[in-house]
Amino acid sequence: MRRAMKLTRVGEATGALAITLALSGCAFFQSLPEPTALPDRLDAFPKELAALQSEVVILWDDHQIPFILAETDDDAAYALGLVHAHLRLAQMEFMRRMARGRLAEIVGPFATDIDESLRILDFARAAPAIEAALPEDTRRWLARFVDGINTYQELAPKRPHEFETLGLEPEPWTIADLIAMGRFAAIDVNWLFWFRLWSLRARGDWPELWSRLLGEHDLGGEGLAQLLAQTGRPGSNAFAVAGSRSATGAALLANDPHLGLSLPNSWLIAGFRSPSYHVAGLMIPGLPFVAVGRNPDIAWGGTNLRAASSALYGLSGEDAIRASEQEIEVRWWFDRTVTLRDSSLGPIISDSPHLDSRDDETIALRWTGHGASDEFTAMLKVNRASDWESFLKAFESFAVSGQNMVYADRQGNIGKLMAVQLPRRSDGPPPDMILEPGADGADWSERLGAGDLPSLFNPPEGVVVSANDAPGATSIPIGYFFSPDDRVRRMSELLEGPVGVAEAMAIQQDVFAPSALALKDALIATMEAFRFNDKASGAEWLFFDALRRWDGFYKIESRGAAAFEIFLRHFVEALYDGRMEWDELEALLSVANVVSHVSHDLAQLEPERLEPLLHDALRRSAAAFDGIADWGAMHRLELRHPLSNMPLIGHRYRFADVPTAGSRQTLFKTSHGLSDERHRTSYGANARFIADLGGIDENYILLLGGQDGWLNSSTFLDQLPLWSAGDYIRLPLSREGIEAGFTHRMVLSPGDGRGAEDDR
């Protein structure tokens, strides 16, 4: 039945394409905006603002990074809303619609299945309860931020290109929208694994696969999982060095988040100062707090904890199921009515059209994020924290998504804590992906939070590191799908000597993969034992020699890195031939740690089976390697706008195609699947932040792409050359540092008077 429905929907979408092209009109095919210089962009910022209480100064640097100076907290939040809307209004609108399941209203029938799946996930489910429980100061901050967004929508002289192309009409923003977006940005990483493994559950060897996967996994894949990975913060590296171990004698913190690689970036850079706040760093567009950054006293960053904040439960026919209908409005096509089913454990996720579920199964998703918690208050408290105690206390109300929060302060202290709320559950891994209710021994009525779980403050080694790795011993299971320890071990090795800002920058850009090098050495040793180096033909010998010489670094100019990945692709295909279809293998290896998986199976093979597999892989690899110059020729960084997925016009929204270094488990992460040809990396490091607590202005930051979301703006893609060169932008906090580096001055005045702007 479900398969028939999917085929029907494919037919609908195919028929709708002709209607789409016929009805889309001139707006759909309009050209991109003309190139816009920074003065013109700033001139478009509204400055006659009756809602202001006092004069507000916004200083901008040449990359259009703002620093807001406000005399009241109300005005700071209001100006921050204006700034977010100015820089990323279209991106924020896309995020709001994804959080609400309203994409088909603007992009047509191709998004109806996505909307249905997003509505099943129901990111706004807890919004009413969360909003009702907000402390007054948090509510006021959010309300003023929303006022700023709405003012910008009303007064901006021109709407973003995306609004015109997609026929978007501005809708008022609400606090509930911010809450829904916050939940969308806090998706549970476990979902990404589950969605990719869903169809493999029918295999006879599923129990064995499940058992192995609990210890081996990565992130890749397509579809709904890829969409959610764009903003869900599923990866990242972070470390802090105590003053006793740093090169400067002051504590140092570094963080590089890993997300989908697209334009605009998932982050924007901003700073603001008011009576209660003095902070700068990385912000999620549409959310009014600094997620990664510093204030005069402390710095903070985070990596995803990969916490077990969700569970999947198979329901029987006796369980009470509630059904409701919702209308999905569809641009250029017929609206669709969908039936959403719910239970006492949560929404029926098996109804998603993106999951290949059996007709006879009813699977509910239970998620901490469907209950009330208050991450806004927590992060605003972090932005104001001055020491470890206030930092730890800030996370009392923080539940999703679980984060390893790394800390440093100007007294030289460092620390790490688990910001999360988890149910008390039985120890040990779950026996399967889908459980019977109660089979995991989880008590969802009792949550353990940051104050209940182990934390680390000033460890004797003077260093804390985090890379989505498994935590130490805890009273309850924290999670099951942790990252391999490649990155955390490599960071620890590089942090053995004195570390300053220059060393921190080098660590964030390190492209060495120890486990890949170990696998390469094992493969070479095995092939030499079979005397392949003597038997190889000319092309095979050249390939073998390039592979043998590889040093484990995924540098752009490395031929060895290209040789290793080509050989891995063909060896995996030969190894699993007949045991698994290629689409099943791709799904498995998008979750599994490929290198670990292959290393394990390599050690289990008998020589008589292993030799022909290796020889076949060598022969095929040599042919594929012919004409490949280096890793950069294969491994490409393509930066695209979401509109690049639209038919016919998508090519106009692809803005960069450059070689890039890095790989799946290098510190400079540029994740990819198995490939023997040119391919795109679409997930990995997309921002960098470093704070040296020895100086208030010693902060360094960068985005992959640019700060501005306005297409063809001079600051839309201006940070890409800096990214490729390994450079950073200095982000000062002192008034003197800001005024020296942020030379574009904008004054917002209350009442009806005109604001002033001048370049000094």
Side-chain angles (χ1 to χ4, degrees), residues 8-62:
T8 299
R9 289 173 181 175
V10 169
E12 288 178 356
T14 303
L17 176 59
I19 305 295
T20 297
L21 298 179
L23 299 180
S24 56
C26 297
F28 190 75
F29 292 100
Q30 66 178 316
S31 60
L32 294 177
E34 292 295 320
T36 309
L38 179 57
D40 294 325
R41 282 290 290 134
L42 296 183
D43 188 56
F45 198 101
K47 304 174 188 71
E48 298 181 6
L49 304 164
L52 284 176
Q53 299 168 352
S54 304
E55 188 175 86
V56 172
V57 174
I58 306 180
L59 300 171
W60 305 79
D61 78 348
D62 289 339

Side-chain angles (χ1 to χ4, degrees), residues 238-240 301-303 305 388 391-392 395 403-408 413-419 450 453-459 463-472 488:
F239 63 84
T303 73
L305 182 58
W388 173 252
F391 182 75
L392 177 60
F395 290 102
Q403 299 289 313
N404 291 295
M405 294 302 297
V406 177
Y407 166 95
N413 303 305
I414 60 172
K416 181 171 70 170
L417 60 81
M418 288 182 274
L453 299 170
S455 60
L456 191 63
F457 184 65
N458 282 341
V463 171
V464 295
V465 296
S466 183
N468 319 114
D469 50 305
V488 73

Side-chain angles (χ1 to χ4, degrees), residues 328-349:
I328 297 177
E329 295 183 24
V330 184
R331 192 183 188 195
W332 303 310
W333 196 243
F334 306 107
D335 294 345
R336 179 192 292 177
T337 300
V338 296
T339 300
L340 305 181
R341 297 194 296 163
D342 200 1
S343 73
S344 61
L345 295 179
I348 306 304
I349 188 67

Side-chain angles (χ1 to χ4, degrees), residues 233-252:
R233 299 183 67 184
S236 302
N237 303 320
F239 63 84
V241 180
S244 60
R245 284 285 314 277
S246 77
T248 64
L252 182 145

Side-chain angles (χ1 to χ4, degrees), residues 97 102-108 115 119 171 329-331:
R97 288 177 175 273
R102 295 180 56 201
L103 290 174
E105 294 178 21
I106 57 174
V107 300
D115 278 353
R119 293 189 189 199
E171 297 179 7
E329 295 183 24
V330 184
R331 192 183 188 195

Side-chain angles (χ1 to χ4, degrees), residues 199-210 579-580 584:
S199 61
L200 296 182
R201 295 177 299 123
R203 291 182 54 89
D205 58 352
W206 167 248
E208 177 189 351
L209 292 176
W210 175 250
R579 297 163 54 190
M580 191 173 288
E584 292 181 316

Side-chain angles (χ1 to χ4, degrees), residues 1 12 147 239 322 419 460 483 628 632:
M1 178 64 177
E12 288 178 356
D147 288 344
F239 63 84
R322 302 179 299 274
S483 180
I628 298 292

